[in-house]
Amino acid sequence: MFKIALLDDDKNSLSELTKYLNEYFFNHELEYKIYTFTNGFDFLDSLKENFTIAFLDIDMPAINGLEVARKLRNIDKNIFIIFVTNMASCAINGYEVEAIDFLVKPI
């Protein structure tokens, strides 16, 4: 079972990514559960879930997605991290947390 975390302060972006992931996992007949978060602190508090993959927006208030990824990487070395953001210039920073991909909004 895939446990997928989506972190974005924009609810429309969360909804759009959820729609695409639901379609993908349904079409491939894979078991999954999606958890959505609108701030990094709530996401970090939920890490007992042992997520398989995390889609993180970089540009967020209070704690940005890159800071969240750094904290996440200290807790879980195996989680797959994908940044989803409109800040394409930050893609290079994803290497320091071993992100596997970078998606530019709009998806």
Side-chain angles (χ1 to χ4, degrees), residues 26-37:
F26 177 80
N27 288 338
H28 290 86
E29 299 178 5
L30 298 169
E31 287 186 50
Y32 69 102
K33 183 164 184 177
I34 296 174
Y35 301 78
T36 60
F37 304 91

Side-chain angles (χ1 to χ4, degrees), residues 45-99:
D45 287 342
S46 74
L47 290 179
K48 64 185 176 296
E49 289 296 332
N50 296 320
F51 295 110
T52 310
I53 189 167
F55 291 83
L56 308 176
D57 182 20
I58 291 179
D59 187 22
M60 295 190 311
I63 182 170
N64 70 45
L66 191 55
E67 292 172 58
V68 169
R70 287 184 189 118
K71 292 179 184 298
L72 174 58
R73 202 41 96 203
N74 287 331
I75 296 166
D76 187 343
K77 301 280 187 219
N78 297 314
I79 189 169
F80 296 105
I81 297 173
I82 297 176
F83 288 112
V84 182
T85 187
N86 55 6
M87 299 178 63
S89 61
C90 293
I92 194 75
N93 296 331
Y95 291 108
E96 70 186 70
V97 292
E98 300 177 28

